[in-house]
Amino acid sequence: MARKSATGRIGIADVALKAGVSHATVSRVMNGNFTVDPDIAARVRAAAVELKYQPNPVGRSLALGKTDTIGIVVPDLANPTFQAILRGLSRAAAQDGYRVLIADSFEVSSEEAILAGEARRRCDGLVLCAPRMGDAELAEIAPSLHPLVLINRTTAAPGVPSLVVDYGLGVQALAEHLVELGHTRLAFLAGPAGSASNGLRLEGLAVFKASHAHVDVTMLDGGSDFDTGHEAVDAVLASGATGILAFNDLVAMGLMSGLHERGVNVPADISVTGFDDIPFARYTTPTLTTAAVPIAELGAQAWHQLRALIRQEGTETPGVRYQPRLEIRSSSGSAPVSPAP
Amino acid sequence: MARKSATGRIGIADVALKAGVSHATVSRVMNGNFTVDPDIAARVRAAAVELKYQPNPVGRSLALGKTDTIGIVVPDLANPTFQAILRGLSRAAAQDGYRVLIADSFEVSSEEAILAGEARRRCDGLVLCAPRMGDAELAEIAPSLHPLVLINRTTAAPGVPSLVVDYGLGVQALAEHLVELGHTRLAFLAGPAGSASNGLRLEGLAVFKASHAHVDVTMLDGGSDFDTGHEAVDAVLASGATGILAFNDLVAMGLMSGLHERGVNVPADISVTGFDDIPFARYTTPTLTTAAVPIAELGAQAWHQLRALIRQEGTETPGVRYQPRLEIRSSSGSAPVSPAP
DNA sequence: TTGAAAGCGCTAACAT
DNA sequence: ATGTTAGCGCTTTCAA
């Protein structure tokens, strides 16, 4: 048989032997180098087909110094937001012939730096998605990770484009919307303490409060998943608020489910808003008012920025800032005449 | 500076130079080979730390003939089922120091074989998730993909473990459940035509029908997402069925949303069941009766089977068959006395 | 115990 | 137009 190499797979040498040419010529043919005699090229191609030869990407990567692979580090693969980003990234990168290596840090921020470094070494570039590590650490490792693109996080380190969603603006729009509906007592169901996007929401709320002295905004501890919302029902009811700004759509859905169980009517008794506009938001009962984030586009954009960096296109790309779009559906309505039960 | 190599990164040669030893010795130290003099080892380690040396995985892969990476090919990264499998796989593989490369075929079955081959060549093993390609093609390429694990698909090719969920049994249990509630007119909202799991459901329904001659089961065309369910409202109502078996939870949610808009009460007028028990199923209104699939475990199990293959542990692993568990919630109830509106 | 050297599979500069 | 040769960065025999 034609299996010569140590790995047992068919290598360039086998094809060269079969076609009666040198490795170099085979390599040239495989890479579409036209300085090869058509007859010989045909012979090589025939041999390659017959042997079912497929170039070994590892050897190729070592020789070329590139892997045609990019890495992405996410805090939690279970989070729909990160899933959507991954999808957008994967799709866009695939269009340019790049593959995606994933690294899930499982919210263990101390692992992120190591994970990122390891991923980066196997890839041509890296996307760091909402990293939980501290600013100092991020700035310190950023240079060693170049080409690097940040999502929902910025850094002082130079040459690192950031794609950030303006959660502050989004939460302001939602609060504004509730106020226009007559609500004067709001509550914010916060997200994970370490999350930068939660910080942005808090900043947005501070701005909102400064210009709406007559509106009462209660702060409630929370998280980022269904259960958070579901478990927050008591706290929400105790707050006396009639307009609830949930950290995200998942929390909002959990909350609505809990309120439903208590017989509280949404939006007649209490209005609930989410954030992100995940696909499910259109199909909840009632449908969810939320702030839409062009999340899949974020993934695609991350690839485009990374690609520019990899190709060393000197176009200074400071990143992109995305503004959420208010998506009014049925979970928000006029404030009840009497306070909520 | 210590940057010598062509790639601009610090290589083993830099460390060797700095420590005053050969590449070989550095390699030995980095790999914990104890045949190195402790003093020299310490010197090497110090040099490595000082230069922030990190071995290049590509060079390592080429020398060792392994990448410590596995690949997974999915038909659609947007599908929660595949996301969950990916997560379980990624988590389990990470525990053993393996990374995951993803390849999304975007439901283009003609691309699957190429995608799978490319992914496999960069990895030590492959997981093919519910491949849409034909049986013949699958059996033909399977040997070249070894080590290979199949999810929700089987093949005649030997040495390929399959993890399959028994969708047939699940749909039978759901239908049985509806019949026990008094429903005699059911409808099945089918999934994608090419999907093997849809085929299994159909087989299950055939078995069910054979033993329930008095029950009428209408077959309705469909798909696998929200919109499918939402758009099926008319067909569902026209069928006169009071118990609807949706292809999966997403379709069920879309359908319930559509029914709600039409003023049809679930489950008073019509009962709806899903499939998969995605996290959202607990939080729909009403909560969704479904068949639970231990989906994250499937991903983990895929890794364990793949690991055994990679390690060439001769333990014949013919795969695992998972039986869905009936999860009765609020979207299914007694059949209405009079036919649905 | 260490170094020199071969080789993993490929690409590319150089030579012919 | 093609072959020879030298790497890419690493591991691993084989000598010493």
Side-chain angles (χ1 to χ4, degrees):
Chain A
M1 291 302 293
R3 322 193 131 233
K4 298 187 54 193
S5 83
T7 60
R9 291 195 157 264
I10 285 145
I12 201 170
D14 303 286
V15 181
L17 194 68
K18 177 144 199 148
V21 295
S22 70
H23 334 259
T25 298
V26 176
S27 172
R28 283 191 264 259
V29 173
M30 297 309 289
N31 293 303
N33 188 324
F34 291 115
T35 69
V36 180
D37 181 284
D39 289 353
I40 297 198
R43 214 165 69 217
V44 169
R45 258 187 284 273
V49 168
E50 197 166 343
L51 294 175
K52 292 189 180 146
Y53 166 69
Q54 302 285 143
N56 178 331
V58 179
R60 208 158 185 281
S61 291
L62 188 59
L64 292 174
K66 67 198 206 82
T67 61
D68 291 344
T69 301
I70 58 170
I72 179 172
V73 181
V74 296
D76 179 15
L77 215 43
N79 187 319
T81 300
F82 301 138
Q83 289 167 357
I85 289 173
L86 169 62
R87 184 152 34 93
L89 181 75
S90 163
R91 168 176 214 120
Q95 236 128 28
D96 288 314
Y98 277 72
R99 289 123 207 103
V100 177
L101 188 77
I102 56 169
D104 189 338
S105 73
F106 297 101
E107 295 279 5
V108 183
S109 65
S110 56
E111 289 288 306
E112 278 183 336
I114 299 116
L115 226 49
E118 281 184 352
R120 175 59 186 84
R121 255 166 274 129
R122 299 174 183 276
C123 300
D124 299 343
L126 195 66
V127 175
L128 227 48
C129 207
R132 308 298 202 220
M133 71 183 80
D135 283 334
E137 185 177 15
L138 179 55
E140 189 190 329
I141 66 169
S144 73
L145 263 26
H146 186 89
L148 171 69
V149 170
L150 246 36
I151 290 184
N152 274 345
R153 188 74 188 264
T154 57
T155 181
V160 183
S162 278
L163 308 181
V164 309
V165 174
D166 200 329
Y167 292 97
L169 236 46
V171 82
Q172 283 180 67
L174 287 165
E176 204 75 61
H177 163 66
L178 290 175
V179 166
E180 279 169 15
L181 287 170
H183 297 269
T184 55
R185 303 188 65 178
L186 307 183
F188 175 61
L189 211 43
S195 152
S197 81
N198 187 54
L200 290 175
R201 287 172 174 84
L202 291 174
E203 287 173 21
L205 279 177
V207 172
F208 171 83
K209 282 199 273 191
S211 58
H212 296 266
H214 65 291
V215 178
D216 184 52
V217 185
T218 307
M219 295 297 177
L220 266 31
D221 285 342
S224 63
D225 55 8
F226 290 113
D227 296 334
T228 297
H230 200 258
E231 288 161 12
V233 175
D234 288 330
V236 163
L237 292 177
S239 75
T242 61
I244 316 298
L245 300 156
F247 174 69
N248 64 18
D249 292 343
L250 262 47
V251 173
M253 288 173 69
L255 174 62
M256 289 205 298
S257 162
L259 290 172
H260 180 76
E261 288 167 12
R262 287 283 215 292
V264 179
N265 192 309
V266 176
D269 300 326
I270 288 186
S271 288
V272 174
T273 65
F275 209 115
D276 289 343
D277 193 27
I278 61 177
F280 296 87
R282 293 169 194 280
Y283 295 100
T284 54
T285 312
T287 57
L288 188 63
T289 291
T290 188
V293 173
I295 200 70
E297 198 200 318
L298 234 150
Q301 186 59 234
W303 164 242
H304 294 135
Q305 301 259 348
L306 195 55
R307 184 181 58 189
L309 252 35
I310 290 172
R311 294 181 179 169
Q312 298 188 300
E313 297 167 354
T315 47
E316 281 297 313
T317 48
V320 184
R321 196 167 188 86
Y322 291 90
Q323 189 169 335
R325 179 175 39 78
L326 190 59
E327 199 69 56
I328 300 174
R329 299 208 181 93
S330 314
S331 67
S332 57
S334 300
V337 181
S338 59
Chain B
M1 289 303 292
R3 322 193 129 227
K4 296 186 55 190
S5 82
T7 59
R9 293 195 157 264
I10 285 147
I12 201 169
D14 302 285
V15 181
L17 194 68
K18 177 146 200 144
V21 296
S22 69
H23 333 259
T25 298
V26 175
S27 172
R28 282 190 266 260
V29 173
M30 298 309 290
N31 292 305
N33 188 324
F34 292 115
T35 69
V36 180
D37 181 284
D39 288 352
I40 296 195
R43 215 165 69 216
V44 169
R45 258 187 284 273
V49 168
E50 198 166 341
L51 294 175
K52 292 189 180 145
Y53 167 68
Q54 303 284 143
N56 178 330
V58 180
R60 205 155 189 281
S61 291
L62 188 58
L64 293 173
K66 67 196 203 88
T67 62
D68 291 344
T69 301
I70 58 170
I72 179 171
V73 182
V74 297
D76 178 14
L77 214 43
N79 187 317
T81 300
F82 302 138
Q83 289 167 356
I85 290 173
L86 169 62
R87 185 153 32 95
L89 182 76
S90 164
R91 168 177 214 118
Q95 236 128 29
D96 288 314
Y98 276 73
R99 288 123 208 102
V100 177
L101 188 76
I102 57 169
D104 189 337
S105 73
F106 297 102
E107 295 279 5
V108 183
S109 66
S110 57
E111 288 288 303
E112 278 183 337
I114 299 117
L115 227 50
E118 281 184 352
R120 174 61 186 83
R121 257 167 274 130
R122 299 175 183 274
C123 299
D124 299 343
L126 196 66
V127 174
L128 227 46
C129 206
R132 309 295 202 221
M133 70 184 81
D135 283 335
E137 186 177 13
L138 179 55
E140 190 190 329
I141 66 169
S144 73
L145 262 26
H146 185 90
L148 172 68
V149 169
L150 245 35
I151 290 183
N152 275 345
R153 188 74 188 264
T154 58
T155 181
V160 183
S162 278
L163 308 181
V164 309
V165 174
D166 199 330
Y167 292 96
L169 237 46
V171 82
Q172 283 181 67
L174 288 165
E176 204 74 63
H177 164 66
L178 290 175
V179 167
E180 280 169 16
L181 287 169
H183 297 269
T184 56
R185 304 188 65 179
L186 306 184
F188 175 62
L189 212 41
S195 152
S197 82
N198 188 53
L200 290 174
R201 287 171 174 86
L202 291 175
E203 287 173 22
L205 280 177
V207 172
F208 172 82
K209 283 199 271 192
S211 58
H212 296 265
H214 65 292
V215 179
D216 184 51
V217 185
T218 306
M219 295 298 177
L220 266 30
D221 286 340
S224 62
D225 56 8
F226 291 114
D227 295 334
T228 297
H230 200 257
E231 287 161 13
V233 174
D234 289 329
V236 162
L237 292 177
S239 75
T242 61
I244 316 298
L245 300 156
F247 174 68
N248 64 18
D249 292 344
L250 262 45
V251 173
M253 288 172 70
L255 175 62
M256 290 206 296
S257 163
L259 289 172
H260 180 75
E261 288 167 11
R262 287 284 214 292
V264 179
N265 191 309
V266 176
D269 301 326
I270 288 186
S271 287
V272 175
T273 65
F275 211 114
D276 290 343
D277 194 26
I278 61 178
F280 295 86
R282 294 169 193 279
Y283 296 100
T284 54
T285 311
T287 56
L288 188 63
T289 292
T290 188
V293 173
I295 200 71
E297 197 199 319
L298 234 150
Q301 186 59 233
W303 164 242
H304 293 136
Q305 302 258 348
L306 195 54
R307 185 180 58 188
L309 252 35
I310 290 173
R311 293 182 179 167
Q312 297 187 300
E313 298 167 354
T315 46
E316 281 297 315
T317 47
V320 183
R321 197 167 188 85
Y322 291 91
Q323 190 167 335
R325 179 174 38 78
L326 189 59
E327 199 69 56
I328 300 175
R329 300 210 180 92
S330 315
S331 67
S332 58
S334 301
V337 180
S338 58

